[in-house]
Amino acid sequence: MSEISEMKVSKIKDGTVIDHVPAGRALDVLRLLNLTGKEGFIISLVMNVPSKKFGKKDIVKVEGLELESNQVNKLALIAPTATINIVRNYDVIEKKRVNLPDRIIGILSCQNPNCITRKEREPVIASFIVISKKPLVVQCEYCGRLMNEDNVIKQLVR
Amino acid sequence: MRCWTKRDVISVLDFKKDELEYLFSLTDKIIEEKIDVKKPLDGKIVATAFFEPSTRTRLSFETAAHRLGASVITLEPSISSLAKGESFADTMRMLDSYADVIVMRSPLEGAAKLAAEICEHPVINGGDGTQHHPTQAMIDIYTIKKIKGDLRDLTIGVLGDLKYGRAATSFMYGVSIFGVEKLWLISPKELMPRDDVLFTLKRFNVELHHTENINDIIGELDVLYVTRIQKERFPDPAEYERVRGTYQVDLKLLSKAKNSLIVMHPLPRVDEISYEVDTTNYAAYFKEASYGVPLRMALLMLIMGVYKDV
């Protein structure tokens, strides 16, 4: 984390630091993780801080919460460049990179109302192939319809 | 070439050119009566489950099965347990326990893929919503090859409902597999292919051109594939009213075409091809329909593993 970022947000004792979030996406990250502020965690975020790698980035820190792997997988869809640092007693004990998998199973639902995966009583889990990582485009494995990044984000953070 | 035996037929995209050529060579043999096709499926059961109306696809599959000596069981959705609310998946599971192969059609996109995942026996997609109609595409390509030979140097036009028409979509995929270089998409803007279809077509080396006016390009075409505007799939009836009757292929239009042009149609037609075209050399659609039974016989034989010469 750059010095300027550190100055803006202090270190946390225990919890998760989500770094290298694409600039402007920090609020979407909170929504995706269902963090409303009412849970009691101390949450700090900075947006649009300089980044050597990306020009600008956002950072989200959540004290008292260690992200689980299913939450990390979801993050890959809206913040594919993010790094997750798990902090205990001010030390980073684990670094996780979010990795966008080739297939996304059970996280997104197909936008096509006529897709078999949208029928409630059918035993089928929506799955998508990632056909482009940047910009994100996914394709339903059942009906073939495409979903772009904006629609993925809207669905995940609504 | 992948073995045909026990393969599901969900999309024409699941097949390579050489695999389709193999299917076509067996179709030739059946038409030319070079092989004994009287009883190769004796003792086998073919199930047909059509959750949407069908004339040619269901009847030609059932005819093909009977000709091969198989028994046919037919699900009637309106008088089966589906009417009591049984799920599609449970219905397919039951059919799977009765039959050796299932031919199905559904108004829902992806239903055939789900059926193939559920069933141990092969599933043949006779159409799933707006998505795929693989066996129609196989018949269409076979027809072009029989009349024109190689597809590569042909300029092909696809006319009509390219957004909701599954036969049009599968046709475009099929001719792309066979190396067509230039494809004219002729439709109102509202009925252009969906972005997922265009994305798939771009994976092939096919030049795509779009026009709303068939008069501009009719003289350039070697094959004109005409499709019906899919009234039943329009979410908004007003949108259908705006585009219905947009195109009519008649002798006046064809007077500007090459003499060697062939006009195809997966049928049923409504009013997009005038009856006056039926008796001209342009009309290939009845020939195309007549290949339905022998090609589906060949397909059933390959899937059931009763024909092997490789």
Side-chain angles (χ1 to χ4, degrees):
Chain A
M1 204 184 301
S2 65
E3 244 177 68
I4 189 163
S5 312
E6 292 226 33
M7 285 162 59
K8 290 182 195 299
V9 186
S10 58
K11 282 192 169 187
I12 61 171
K13 183 169 182 262
D14 297 296
T16 305
V17 177
I18 308 167
D19 199 359
H20 303 111
V21 174
R25 291 269 169 86
L27 292 170
D28 290 336
V29 167
L30 290 182
R31 281 192 204 105
L32 178 71
L33 299 174
N34 292 324
L35 293 171
T36 62
K38 290 174 186 158
E39 298 79 13
F41 301 118
I42 298 171
I43 300 170
S44 359
L45 58 90
V46 288
M47 297 176 79
N48 296 313
V49 292
S51 158
K52 276 183 197 163
K53 220 171 172 181
F54 302 109
K56 286 192 292 184
K57 67 175 181 178
D58 292 358
I59 304 163
V60 176
K61 296 184 177 189
V62 188
E63 292 211 49
L65 175 74
E66 292 187 8
L67 285 193
E68 289 168 10
S69 57
N70 64 336
Q71 293 171 302
V72 173
N73 289 343
K74 275 192 184 179
L75 266 183
L77 288 165
I78 66 161
T81 53
T83 48
I84 317 283
N85 299 310
I86 304 295
V87 178
R88 281 187 202 155
N89 203 22
Y90 298 107
D91 286 330
V92 175
I93 57 129
E94 190 183 356
K95 268 183 180 286
K96 295 177 187 172
R97 284 197 85 83
V98 299
N99 272 321
L100 195 56
D102 296 331
R103 289 176 80 203
I104 297 158
I105 301 166
I107 294 175
L108 297 169
S109 82
C110 186
Q111 288 179 300
N112 171 14
N114 210 41
C115 177
I116 189 76
T117 62
R118 292 283 300 272
K119 302 301 154 191
E120 280 176 12
R121 294 181 52 251
E122 302 300 344
V124 55
I125 296 168
S127 67
F128 293 83
I129 304 267
V130 176
I131 57 172
S132 165
K133 291 195 174 181
K134 204 175 175 181
L136 180 67
V137 183
V138 299
Q139 181 167 36
C140 174
E141 288 203 79
Y142 287 86
C143 75
R145 302 296 197 271
L146 304 182
M147 196 174 356
N148 63 22
E149 189 164 303
D150 283 350
N151 288 323
V152 168
I153 291 170
K154 265 185 213 157
Q155 190 179 116
L156 289 173
V157 303
R158 72 186 165 201
Chain B
M1 186 172 78
R2 252 184 80 194
C3 177
W4 272 90
T5 307
K6 293 195 173 171
R7 270 176 91 166
D8 298 306
V9 181
I10 306 304
S11 163
V12 73
L13 292 168
D14 298 337
F15 297 87
K16 293 198 164 60
K17 187 180 168 189
D18 62 337
E19 293 166 341
L20 295 169
E21 297 272 21
Y22 186 62
L23 171 75
F24 298 156
S25 70
L26 178 55
T27 307
D28 282 341
K29 285 177 187 166
I30 290 171
I31 290 171
E32 292 158 17
E33 298 179 352
K34 284 187 178 162
I35 54 168
D36 178 16
V37 292
K38 287 208 177 67
K39 294 286 173 191
L41 294 188
D42 189 21
K44 301 289 183 189
I45 294 177
V46 176
T48 56
F50 279 61
F51 304 91
E52 254 190 356
S54 168
T55 304
R56 269 153 294 275
T57 306
R58 183 167 71 88
L59 289 181
S60 65
F61 263 114
E62 292 182 356
T63 305
H66 284 301
R67 286 203 185 282
L68 294 168
S71 302
V72 176
I73 56 170
T74 303
L75 177 85
E76 297 287 351
S78 59
I79 54 168
S80 70
S81 288
L82 284 156
K84 298 177 189 167
E86 186 171 34
S87 70
F88 169 77
D90 283 359
T91 306
M92 296 313 287
R93 245 182 220 111
M94 176 205 70
L95 281 181
D96 189 36
S97 68
Y98 299 162
D100 299 289
V101 58
I102 300 163
V103 185
M104 58 146 293
R105 169 175 287 184
S106 167
L108 300 175
E109 288 97 35
K113 179 176 160 57
L114 175 62
E117 288 169 358
I118 290 169
C119 298
E120 283 185 23
H121 293 104
V123 171
I124 300 174
N125 184 5
D128 62 330
T130 58
Q131 194 175 207
H132 296 301
H133 195 347
T135 61
Q136 181 63 50
M138 290 167 181
I139 292 161
D140 298 336
I141 304 162
Y142 181 76
T143 305
I144 300 176
K145 283 178 65 66
K146 290 297 274 184
I147 300 173
K148 296 284 190 184
D150 197 346
L151 274 75
R152 278 176 298 187
D153 295 329
L154 301 178
T155 298
I156 295 181
V158 191
L159 173 80
D161 188 347
L162 313 186
K163 183 178 181 182
Y164 299 113
R166 60 189 169 213
T169 299
S170 290
F171 176 80
M172 292 187 280
Y173 292 159
V175 295
S176 299
I177 292 167
F178 274 75
V180 160
E181 289 170 6
K182 194 171 182 182
L183 202 52
W184 273 103
L185 311 176
I186 311 153
S187 70
K189 280 199 182 75
E190 303 95 306
L191 297 181
M192 274 282 282
R194 298 182 306 273
D195 56 357
D196 57 293
V197 176
L198 293 173
F199 173 81
T200 303
L201 289 172
K202 279 176 190 154
R203 289 187 349 222
F204 297 94
N205 286 327
V206 54
E207 261 182 58
L208 296 176
H209 300 269
H210 176 247
T211 180
E212 294 192 48
N213 190 351
I214 185 169
N215 286 289
D216 293 347
I217 53 112
I218 183 74
E220 200 186 312
L221 301 178
D222 300 299
V223 175
L224 175 62
Y225 191 83
V226 185
T227 61
R228 179 177 64 89
I229 309 280
Q230 306 278 308
K231 181 182 179 183
E232 66 277 22
R233 303 200 196 281
F234 276 74
D236 177 4
E239 194 190 346
Y240 172 72
E241 289 303 323
R242 272 198 300 279
V243 295
R244 64 180 290 201
T246 309
Y247 300 108
Q248 188 163 46
V249 177
D250 54 20
L251 292 183
K252 189 177 164 210
L253 174 74
L254 293 173
S255 67
K256 290 176 255 175
K258 290 180 189 175
N259 286 334
S260 58
L261 171 77
I262 58 167
V263 177
M264 301 175 65
H265 195 303
L267 304 177
R269 67 173 152 178
V270 182
D271 52 10
E272 54 280 348
I273 301 178
S274 298
Y275 289 124
E276 63 190 18
V277 180
D278 294 359
T279 49
T280 67
N281 287 335
Y282 298 115
Y285 33 93
F286 294 128
K287 191 84 183 153
E288 182 185 353
S290 75
Y291 292 138
V293 170
L295 186 133
R296 287 175 172 126
M297 286 171 74
L299 186 70
L300 286 172
M301 288 179 74
L302 291 177
I303 286 172
M304 301 301 283
V306 295
Y307 175 77
K308 282 173 196 151
D309 73 347
V310 286

